[in-house]
Every structure is written in C-alpha cells, then in structure tokens.
Amino acid sequence: MSLKTQSRREKVLSRGEIEQLIADGHQIVIFDRKVLKVDAWLQYHPGGDKAILHMVGKDATDEITMFHSDSAVHMMQRYQIGRVEERWVNFVPPIQGGTFRRRVEEKCESEALKIKNETVQDGNTISRPQMITSNGIKADAKSLPKTSFLDIRTKQEIDLDLSRYPSVDPAKQDEVVRKFHKLHERVISEGLYDCSYRAYAVETCRYVLVALLFVLFLRLGWYNTSAIFLGMLWHLLVFTVHDAAHLAITHDYTTDSLIAFTIASFIGGLSASWWKRNHNIHHVVTNAPEHDPDIEHIPFFAISHRFFTSLRSTFYERVMTYDAAARVLIRIQHWMYYPILLFGRFNLYRLSWEHLLRGLGPRKGIAWWHRWYEMVGQVFFWAWFGYGILYKSIPTMWDRFAFLMVSHMVTMPLHVLFTVSHFAMSTADLGASESFPQKMLRTTMDVDCPEWLNFWYGGLQFQVIHHLFPRMPRHNLARAQKFVLEYCEDVGIPYAFYGILDSNKHVLSKLGDIAKQATILAECQKAAAEDILKAHY
C-alpha cells in the first residue's frame, strides 16, 4: 500500500462530508470507525446488494463482524476512504426512506426554515412549535394531519417496547454493545464456532436411513408412507443447507456453498442462492414490515397493522396492496395459519424459480456460478422427482397427486418453526440508534422442546442465539444459550423463550389480535363511508 493511499484512508471525514457522499449516490458504511465506500462491491457481494443498502449511513460493525469471516472482513478494508473520530450517530439508509442533503441545499433550507419559523411580536422573537416527522424534517405542529387509529396503534407498540427494553439513548446502547462484544469473545473462547463433524456423521446416518425407508416403501407400493419419509428427508436436509449457507460447516465459502446448493437444488428442488439473498435481509432488518421479506405475506398473513396501509416492500420492490382479498383473509388468519403453511413448500418453488429466471442474485465475483449450477440442479430434481418418481414409479393420477401433496405437507412443521420465532415478536421501529443485539433479542423468540425432539427442530429452535451469532454451527446453539441468558440479565433485555405449545399460542394470539384490528378498521371505514353518503344526500 502506498503512503498516499494510506494517508487517504486515515483522513478524518466529518458527518457533513459523509452525508454529501451519500446524497451524491455513494454507498457509505461505517465499520469500526472506518468509512467504507462500497459502490464497486455491490454487484459482487455474494449475499446480494440489498443487505448492503440497508447498512448505508449506519455503523455496521456488529452486522459485518457477525456475518463475515475474518478474511472477508480483511478484504473490506480495501474500500476504506477515511475514518470518523467521534461516536457515529446512524443515518436512516436511503432504501428505508432516509433523506440526505448536499451542503448547499442544507444551508439554503436552514436559512429558509429560520425565516419561516420565526415571527416578531412586540420586538420579541417567538418560535412556532415544531415536531420531527418520520423523514427527519421539522414540520409546523399545526400542519400535521390528525392522528389516525393506525397511528395510535403504532405509538402504543413503540411505547410498550420502550417500557420493556433498555433505552435507545446512545449511552445505554453503547453499554449494550460493549457487553455484547464481551459475550462474543466468550463464545469464541468456548470454541462455539467450531463445527461438530461427529454430530454431522450422526445426522448423515439419519438422512440415509430416512432415504432408504422412502425408497423401500415406494417399491412396496405404500405410496403415502413413502411420501412421508421423502417429506421428512427434505425437512431434515434443510437444516444442513441452512448451516452451509451461513458458512458454518467448513467455514470455507466455496465448499459450504457447494454443500448448500447441491442439497437444496439437486435433492430439494429449491434455490439456496434465493434463500441467501432473502435470509440475509431478514437478519439485517428483522421484523421490519417494509423491509423483511420473511414477514411479508400479504394477502394471507399480516403480523402488523402497518400492512393495512399498503406498504411498499423494499425487497420485492412493489406495493403490498391491502386489497379485497387481504381484507377478507387477514380477518381469519389465525384460523388459516396452519392450513396455509401446509402449502408453504409450493411457494418456495415459485420464489426459487423467480430468483433464478430473473437472475436476481450476483452475476459477478466468487458467486457468478451460483445461478447456473442451481439451474442444472433444478433440471436434475424434476428429472428424478417429477419424471422418475411421480410419473414412472407411481401408476395412477390419484396416487401421484396424493404422493405430491403428502410429501410436501409433511414439511409444514419447518415453516411453523421459522414463523413462530418471529410472528409473535415486536415489529415496532425504535429508530436507527437501536443496537444490533437489542434489535435481535426484541424481534426473535426461542422455542423450548424436549431433548429427544431436537433432531426434528434441527437445533434451530434457538433462533435468538442464531440471530446473534449467524455463523455459529446449530449444534452449538444450545451450549451458547446460558451465556446469552447471563448477558440478557446483565443488560436488562427480556429473553423470549417459550415451550412448543406456548410459542404457538403466542403466534395465534398475535395473528388474532391483528385480525381484530383489521375488523375494527373495516367497520370504521364502513361507518365513515355511510356518514359521507348521508351528508351528500
């Protein structure tokens, strides 16, 4: 590295300079007080560009550290263009609606606001009352719209979280982060990032046994029984795909990617590259209605009243319209939760094909081959499953249909596991100043299950710990729990941990509550419409 380059990287940048860079369209991320300009990296990032876009203008030290290997973190240093000296106060990223002004614009607007908001009465300067709107711009209190039913609900949820969780003021959040770093050091010293290959040997034996039972009963003509074991095989293999996609098995990018893509596409007919792009966003903006694709299921489910306003998804880049179908289905969503999840695997096919056909994943860099490898995997899957099993091995149309439905519906508990861990938790936005560990603990739930049933949950019933340490092999999540519990008690953050029945009750209760809100809103709108008609006639 030349002295000139070194000098440039050590240049101290002001907040105003960084804001201007973002206003000019550059992607600026703060990491360990280093200012990274990652424009050139967007198209190469294996986890997709949106994971980076949600970090623009923010201190992403914890997110980068938790999600990346040491070699990846070292590689990022090449994008350093300067550093910051003071504690960084997060901007709201542009993708989330943050606004950034150039210095000239800022000066002009500042002068205009000063003139507008000051009046002189009897020689005294009087300032009009002001409020800060969601985009950070000051507004005259008289100009603000009347508070709606949905706004009241939003405020109630925020107030509830602020009363239950540590304050989001900088001093308290710095303490939460500092102690989280100590927790992370403890996790490393305990060897919890080391993969248990013995555990994988046991799991491989289980996979082989289930696969043999699937083939045996297929040969015997017990088609529905065979379908159950095939569905079980898909269910169990997802946990290995999950570990590999998080680079938690060998910790080598290429090797773990091959494991994930081979199992997901060639055996399961799904796209692991779609999952990585989707799942990375889920980890970064967990339970944010406008941003987290894992909770965006309109018209079937809404876990927040904010979906009633037809939010625009930053992931799908479309408006999630709260239309006539949604107004009907959301009001009965607590009754339809399990029946709809029976068909969850079919939706995963749709999302996988859309991802691959549209080429939504990275096309350059170390991930360039993902799309083409998975397309080959799709052909292979439908050759052995669609043609070899459904068409050639099963004689009648009815038996084929039954086999298809049974094998896919057996995987329903997997969809319940992942939705239970988040659907019942908070969707409130406490602002850009909330720390990574507090956000994960506030939006995620652990499920307590009997030890003999651990294999069916794959270790991922410990979703809280997984969200705090995404690269930790799932066989070690249970061991990490006691350390996380001690940390939560120390910093005063509630730890959500429920049994199987209680966790499901919490989800159904949350869905039922949102359904009631949808009913109330519909009645209010109907009454308002009737009042307008009466006034008109």
Side-chain angles (χ1 to χ4, degrees):
M1 183 188 303
S2 67
L3 291 176
K4 184 177 180 180
T5 301
Q6 180 67 25
S7 176
R8 178 176 60 85
R9 290 183 175 182
E10 292 302 317
K11 177 184 177 182
V12 176
L13 297 176
S14 70
R15 183 174 180 82
E17 288 175 314
I18 293 173
E19 181 177 13
Q20 180 161 327
L21 285 169
I22 299 174
D24 289 338
H26 297 294
Q27 314 306 328
I28 306 297
V29 176
I30 310 300
F31 170 70
D32 195 22
R33 299 208 172 181
K34 300 179 179 69
V35 180
L36 310 181
K37 188 174 79 168
V38 295
D39 305 36
W41 178 240
L42 278 183
Q43 59 184 329
Y44 296 97
H45 185 226
D49 59 344
K50 284 188 168 59
I52 295 177
L53 294 177
H54 281 286
M55 290 292 103
V56 171
K58 299 180 68 174
D59 185 338
T61 302
D62 287 330
E63 287 85 351
I64 290 174
T65 302
M66 294 302 117
F67 280 96
H68 298 86
S69 64
D70 291 340
S71 60
V73 171
H74 180 73
M75 180 275 297
M76 293 178 196
Q77 312 295 330
R78 71 178 67 170
Y79 297 101
Q80 182 180 349
I81 61 169
R83 60 186 179 87
V84 294
E85 286 190 329
E86 303 298 326
R87 180 193 184 279
W88 182 253
V89 178
N90 289 332
F91 286 115
V92 175
I95 193 173
Q96 297 179 12
T99 56
F100 296 84
R101 295 172 295 177
R102 296 178 177 85
R103 278 184 247 177
V104 175
E105 294 173 352
E106 185 177 355
K107 183 176 180 181
C108 292
E109 289 185 21
S110 177
E111 292 296 326
L113 282 172
K114 184 177 179 180
I115 294 171
K116 180 179 179 181
N117 291 323
E118 293 183 349
T119 59
V120 179
Q121 291 185 354
D122 299 328
N124 296 319
T125 300
I126 301 174
S127 296
R128 295 175 182 172
Q130 293 180 336
M131 294 183 66
I132 305 298
T133 61
S134 59
N135 62 3
I137 298 176
K138 292 181 178 180
D140 192 304
K142 293 181 179 179
S143 69
L144 294 174
K146 292 182 179 179
T147 304
S148 69
F149 162 72
L150 297 181
D151 292 332
I152 293 172
R153 290 294 304 181
T154 299
K155 185 178 185 304
Q156 288 174 340
E157 289 187 359
I158 292 174
D159 288 344
L160 177 61
D161 278 5
L162 290 175
S163 69
R164 295 179 60 221
Y165 291 88
S167 168
V168 292
D169 74 85
K172 183 59 182 178
Q173 289 302 300
D174 284 349
E175 179 189 359
V176 169
V177 170
R178 184 173 62 254
K179 292 183 176 180
F180 177 66
H181 292 169
K182 291 182 179 179
L183 170 65
H184 190 221
E185 291 171 3
R186 188 177 183 184
V187 161
I188 294 172
S189 66
E190 292 286 336
L192 297 183
Y193 277 106
D194 298 334
C195 183
S196 172
Y197 294 112
R198 181 177 180 181
Y200 267 105
V202 173
E203 288 205 353
T204 300
C205 292
R206 187 181 295 126
Y207 299 155
V208 172
L209 174 61
V210 174
L212 290 174
L213 290 171
F214 147 61
V215 174
L216 173 64
F217 286 110
L218 182 66
R219 293 289 181 88
L220 293 174
W222 293 26
Y223 301 123
N224 288 342
T225 305
S226 174
I228 290 173
F229 283 106
L230 178 57
M232 288 178 62
L233 180 64
W234 285 335
H235 172 101
L236 296 172
L237 284 172
V238 162
F239 300 126
T240 297
V241 173
H242 183 276
D243 258 7
H246 275 292
L247 310 185
I249 299 179
T250 69
H251 306 298
D252 175 73
Y253 180 81
T254 301
T255 304
D256 277 353
S257 295
L258 276 172
I259 293 172
F261 297 151
T262 300
I263 295 174
S265 290
F266 287 75
I267 301 178
L270 304 177
S271 167
S273 59
W274 157 76
W275 180 86
K276 282 174 70 72
R277 180 174 182 262
N278 180 98
H279 197 66
N280 287 339
I281 299 299
H282 164 66
H283 271 272
V284 169
V285 286
T286 309
N287 267 26
E290 301 92 339
H291 314 300
D292 182 359
D294 274 17
I295 64 168
E296 295 177 344
H297 301 297
I298 291 291
F300 301 104
F301 298 123
I303 67 167
S304 170
H305 63 276
R306 288 156 65 189
F307 286 105
F308 302 162
T309 60
S310 295
L311 298 177
R312 185 181 187 278
S313 168
T314 57
F315 181 81
Y316 293 112
E317 298 180 348
R318 61 176 174 79
V319 174
M320 298 174 289
T321 307
Y322 189 66
D323 56 15
R327 286 193 289 272
V328 172
L329 293 173
I330 299 306
R331 294 165 71 174
I332 57 172
Q333 63 178 354
H334 49 308
W335 298 106
M336 297 302 295
Y337 175 61
Y338 298 113
I340 288 176
L341 291 186
L342 286 170
F343 300 92
R345 190 172 182 86
F346 293 103
N347 186 48
L348 298 186
Y349 288 142
R350 178 187 68 83
L351 293 169
S352 296
W353 295 337
E354 179 184 16
H355 176 82
L356 294 174
L357 292 175
R358 291 179 60 190
L360 297 177
R363 300 188 184 188
K364 298 181 179 181
I366 57 176
W368 71 268
W369 55 274
H370 292 179
R371 182 190 184 195
W372 308 110
Y373 186 74
E374 289 199 306
M375 282 186 166
V376 173
Q378 291 292 314
V379 173
F380 182 86
F381 172 79
W382 289 105
W384 76 260
F385 176 69
Y387 180 76
I389 303 297
L390 290 180
Y391 182 73
K392 293 291 290 183
S393 302
I394 302 175
T396 68
M397 286 299 296
W398 170 250
D399 285 334
R400 291 168 185 162
F401 175 75
F403 186 95
L404 176 69
M405 299 308 293
V406 170
S407 62
H408 285 59
M409 289 180 174
V410 166
T411 64
M412 185 264 277
L414 188 68
H415 307 295
V416 173
L417 168 63
F418 290 125
T419 55
V420 157
S421 297
H422 299 288
F423 273 22
M425 300 304 291
S426 174
T427 59
D429 181 4
L430 300 189
S433 60
E434 185 178 26
S435 64
F436 168 78
Q438 180 166 313
K439 173 77 171 178
M440 296 304 104
L441 286 158
R442 188 171 60 84
T443 57
T444 314
M445 174 200 301
D446 273 358
V447 178
D448 185 22
C449 72
E451 190 172 343
W452 64 268
L453 198 56
N454 277 348
F455 82 96
W456 192 243
Y457 281 83
L460 289 180
Q461 67 270 32
F462 299 105
Q463 279 288 302
V464 171
I465 297 130
H466 169 61
H467 269 255
L468 290 173
F469 310 109
R471 292 182 295 114
M472 182 184 293
R474 58 193 165 84
H475 301 103
N476 296 335
L477 296 178
R479 290 173 54 197
Q481 187 183 49
K482 63 178 181 179
F483 305 135
V484 175
L485 283 168
E486 292 173 5
Y487 165 75
C488 288
E489 184 176 352
D490 186 24
V491 297
I493 298 179
Y495 185 100
F497 187 43
Y498 301 98
I500 296 174
L501 291 179
D502 285 341
S503 61
N504 280 264
K505 286 179 182 178
H506 273 76
V507 169
L508 293 176
S509 176
K510 176 69 170 288
L511 293 174
D513 180 55
I514 300 299
K516 288 180 182 178
Q517 293 178 39
T519 301
I520 292 171
L521 179 63
E523 291 174 352
C524 291
Q525 291 173 335
K526 181 180 178 181
E530 290 175 352
D531 289 343
I532 292 173
L533 287 174
K534 287 179 182 178
H536 182 72
Y537 291 106

